[in-house]
Amino acid sequence: MRWSTGWYGAVGHDRRPRGGRPIAGLEAAWTVDWPTGRVRTAGSGPLALAVIGDCGADDQQIGQALERVQAKDWRALTRWPGSYLVVARSGEALAVIGDLAGQHPVYWRAEGAGTWWSTSAGALAALDGAPVDPTALAAHLAFGQPDVLGRRSLFRTVNRVPTGDLLLITPEQATAEHYEPADTEPVHLRDAAPTVRAALTEAVAVRLDGRPVSADLAGLDSTTLACLAAKRGPVAAVTFADERLRDDDLVYAVRTAATVPNLQHHTVPGSAQTVYYAGLNDLSSLPLTDCPNAYVVTASIKRAVLDTITTQQTGGVHFTGTAGDAVLSAPSAYLSDLLRTRQHRRALQHAQAHARLRRTSAWTVLCRARRASRTDLAGAWRQLASVLRSAPREWVPQAQQPVAWTPLLATADWMSPDVRGQLANALDAASDRARAPRLLAAWADRQDLARVGADANGWREIALCGHGVDLAAPFLDNEVIRACLAVPADERGAPGRYKPLLGEAFTATGVIPDFVLSRVTKGGFNALAYAGLTQHAPVLADLLGASSRLAAAGLVNQTPVARVLTRAAAGQPTAQGALHLAVAAEVWLRQLEATDARSWWEVSARAAA
């Protein structure tokens, strides 16, 4: 795993990361497995700056940014293209700044003589074997929103920096402070389009540094990135085309590759093993991640794509459209915001359009949105705590449930009463310090991005460990996020036009063919999910059965899980997303058990002497 860490304290420490490389100019700070070219520094001692990752700033810009460091203008250091971590020292203050999507998360733990910081919570837990926090893991399973419990990480004694915050360490304390405003000034879609186009173009260009380039060529998001990369050189474009999918991704991919120069198209046919849940009988083949990762469930599909890429080139960078849905469109939950801000006529117009798409009534759509429009985040959490103290609910598809600031997932109904009670108490405490945007859609957008970013890190490890390929997800870059989310959700997600922001940004630019921008269909993996559930039901039953670590902690009850597996194997609708979450969490807990803490740290040479 690539990670970074450091120590801040008046007294030195006897540990250093195993395989760590010191960061020039910063005392007691290291990177692990990061290529030298993606660790750049300026200054030293009391005025120093390090940028780690894919950053579009050149060396001169990084050197000039020392003025911003001295002024403690931390947010200015997050405005370059790309996705990266910043470590900056200004006098006695040390700022560690991650990104807005959790691809560079930041954690810390305080000790008597100082503070450790790291981009890996697991590494900090391994310092003394800190165990998993069952309540935090319950929140991960029940809500799917990383910031619900704020600074509480999945490990006891390890603190987490929430989305949009930075870690600031001084001789007095270590604390998370805001650098990103909760609310942004709205920009109309047409006005934002040039900024979005520029941000995406720069985000792709940052990764084009002479390495071989490949890209997914499937939906609108990945096709956009593939076309942008092809403007600058050859791209091995790959389409996963299992015949069980029954979508038109391959049709559009073939036509796009025939139209856009430099796209060299390759098709990845499916097989009996390219289904969900394949390979979970051998967890040693999966890389360890800092939190439960969704891609352990689809690892065989991702590996099939990566295998095809590596037959064409060695290593390189691979572009994926991950998070395009989160920034270019918006779920119909924004209707709650239209009701909250008394835009009743616009709410009705949009509800009628959504109702036609879902073959229901506008009244039904508005009724789903009404309750959330009458409360804020803190009030929603207090209501949610009350629900957790009640009996578990019967399963209802998420699309039929009322819109919520924080939806309660089916996994919450599989937990023991004791765990549900502890989770309710944690929610009550969190509601007292809730910090959220004024609008529900803005909160939901940030949480979706944080969740997707954490999952993308798992995919990145699969690509890097097994194939030597760097994964690039430009839709998760800070400047792309800012440009897209400045557009109000009711404009990004308005029914009647699919991803209008992308169309407005690239129509008539010659980058993306018009037939791609006018596409209204989207592929899905449901067929492979159900095939995997049927094919690997015995493995899943064993994972979540009597020896389940989740069950031992009261996080899963075997009866409802068995019911879900039975329904899924029969092809009936069920809480598939909840099962996906539970399997990923169980795999993660078993991996932690098998990990030697000594693989993270070693005693420094001075302490050994």
Side-chain angles (χ1 to χ4, degrees):
M1 182 190 296
R2 285 178 180 167
W3 57 291
S4 306
T5 190
W7 165 257
Y8 181 107
V11 180
H13 207 280
D14 65 348
R15 302 286 184 90
R16 59 171 290 151
R18 188 171 295 279
R21 181 183 293 127
I23 299 176
L26 287 167
E27 185 180 358
W30 304 267
T31 61
V32 180
D33 286 342
W34 275 103
T36 304
R38 275 180 275 171
V39 181
R40 293 185 292 154
T41 62
S44 63
L47 186 62
L49 171 65
V51 178
I52 303 160
D54 294 310
C55 179
D58 59 30
D59 291 342
Q60 182 180 3
Q61 289 173 308
I62 291 176
Q64 292 171 342
L66 286 172
E67 294 180 5
R68 303 271 61 82
V69 176
Q70 190 167 33
K72 298 181 181 177
D73 182 4
W74 308 125
R75 188 170 187 267
L77 305 175
T78 71
R79 302 304 304 264
W80 293 310
S83 177
Y84 52 89
L85 175 80
V86 170
V87 186
R89 177 131 194 173
S90 181
E92 291 190 317
L94 181 75
V96 186
I97 315 169
D99 64 312
L100 296 177
Q103 294 197 99
H104 300 274
V106 180
Y107 304 91
W108 86 94
R109 62 180 300 173
E111 296 186 1
T115 301
W116 279 105
W117 63 266
S118 179
T119 56
S120 169
L124 295 186
L127 283 167
D128 64 356
V132 170
D133 180 340
T135 304
L137 185 55
H140 171 88
L141 289 168
F143 309 133
Q145 293 186 339
D147 287 332
V148 172
L149 296 191
R151 300 177 186 180
R152 197 165 173 173
S153 83
L154 293 180
F155 296 92
R156 289 177 180 168
T157 74
V158 177
N159 301 291
R160 168 185 175 272
V161 176
T163 305
D165 284 10
L166 58 85
L167 173 62
L168 187 64
I169 313 176
T170 65
E172 293 75 33
Q173 64 175 352
T175 186
E177 294 195 356
H178 313 315
Y179 74 84
E180 191 72 7
D183 292 292
T184 57
E185 192 68 28
V187 180
H188 287 301
L189 185 144
R190 182 166 295 178
D191 296 332
T195 307
V196 170
R197 180 172 64 250
L200 274 174
T201 302
E202 290 180 326
V204 170
V206 163
R207 277 86 174 187
L208 303 179
D209 54 5
R211 292 175 292 173
V213 179
S214 59
D216 291 332
L217 189 62
L220 183 54
D221 310 332
S222 61
T223 300
T224 297
L225 302 179
C227 290
L228 284 169
K231 281 289 182 181
R232 295 172 174 262
V235 177
V238 186
T239 306
F240 180 73
D242 192 300
E243 62 180 10
R244 291 167 289 189
L245 295 179
R246 300 180 183 276
D247 60 27
D248 54 0
D249 278 356
L250 182 58
V251 173
Y252 275 92
V254 170
R255 188 178 174 189
T256 302
T259 305
V260 177
N262 283 332
L263 285 183
Q264 302 158 359
H265 188 234
H266 306 276
T267 302
V268 183
S271 69
Q273 286 305 307
T274 53
V275 293
Y276 281 40
Y277 307 108
L280 294 184
N281 54 339
D282 179 17
L283 302 187
S284 63
S285 65
L286 295 167
L288 178 66
T289 52
D290 248 6
C291 59
N293 194 270
Y295 286 105
V296 303
V297 172
T298 57
S300 65
I301 298 171
K302 299 306 178 188
R303 285 190 176 122
V305 172
L306 292 164
D307 286 343
T308 299
I309 292 167
T310 51
T311 61
Q312 308 299 319
Q313 60 191 42
T314 301
V317 58
H318 180 75
F319 287 94
T320 170
T322 291
D325 288 343
V327 297
L328 296 171
S329 56
S332 59
Y334 72 80
L335 291 171
S336 293
D337 293 328
L338 293 179
L339 293 175
R340 180 193 313 279
T341 54
R342 300 185 179 279
Q343 300 180 62
H344 296 117
R345 178 176 296 180
R346 186 168 176 80
L348 178 58
Q349 291 171 343
H350 280 236
Q352 289 171 334
H354 282 292
R356 284 193 294 271
L357 292 174
R358 290 166 173 73
R359 298 183 181 180
T360 186
S361 70
W363 176 249
T364 299
V365 173
L366 287 174
C367 282
R368 286 189 62 235
R370 186 182 179 194
R371 182 192 301 175
S373 73
R374 297 187 168 191
T375 187
D376 59 7
L377 182 64
W381 284 354
R382 285 190 286 269
Q383 293 171 8
L384 204 54
S386 178
V387 172
L388 284 165
R389 293 187 178 101
S390 306
R393 314 155 300 169
E394 287 296 320
W395 177 73
V396 175
Q398 203 70 46
Q400 297 175 21
Q401 295 183 28
V403 170
W405 282 83
T406 297
L408 190 63
L409 307 179
T411 26
D413 298 308
W414 302 349
M415 297 174 184
S416 70
D418 182 53
V419 169
R420 285 168 65 93
Q422 292 176 26
L423 193 53
N425 293 339
L427 262 183
D428 279 336
S431 68
D432 293 335
R433 55 180 184 273
R435 172 184 179 259
R438 186 172 60 92
L439 300 178
L440 183 156
W443 163 260
D445 285 339
R446 297 289 185 184
Q447 297 310 300
D448 285 348
L449 284 167
R451 176 180 50 79
V452 172
D455 284 336
N457 282 341
W459 185 358
R460 184 170 288 106
E461 289 300 322
I462 291 173
L464 196 58
C465 294
H467 298 79
V469 172
D470 264 314
L471 190 77
F475 287 108
L476 289 168
D477 286 6
N478 283 355
E479 289 300 276
V480 175
I481 290 171
R482 287 171 174 139
C484 293
L485 296 191
V487 179
D490 60 299
E491 294 187 39
R492 285 182 284 121
R497 187 180 174 193
Y498 184 55
K499 296 187 178 175
L501 180 54
L502 205 58
E504 196 70 39
F506 286 99
T507 295
T509 61
V511 176
I512 306 168
D514 289 343
F515 64 83
V516 173
L517 291 172
S518 61
R519 182 181 177 184
V520 295
T521 56
K522 180 177 175 63
F525 282 74
N526 276 352
L528 301 187
Y530 278 107
L533 284 166
T534 303
Q535 189 174 332
H536 299 291
V539 175
L540 298 180
D542 179 64
L543 268 176
L544 301 176
S547 61
S548 166
R549 278 58 168 177
L550 290 175
L555 294 166
V556 157
N557 186 312
Q558 289 178 249
T559 302
V561 171
R563 194 180 305 129
V564 167
L565 289 173
T566 300
R567 287 178 60 87
Q572 297 176 322
T574 190
Q576 198 177 129
L579 183 64
H580 198 133
L581 270 175
V583 169
E586 180 67 30
V587 168
W588 182 68
L589 289 174
R590 295 189 183 210
Q591 286 180 306
L592 285 178
E593 284 183 3
T595 302
D596 187 345
R598 290 173 296 181
S599 64
W600 292 103
W601 301 94
E602 62 187 7
V603 178
S604 66
R606 182 186 302 173

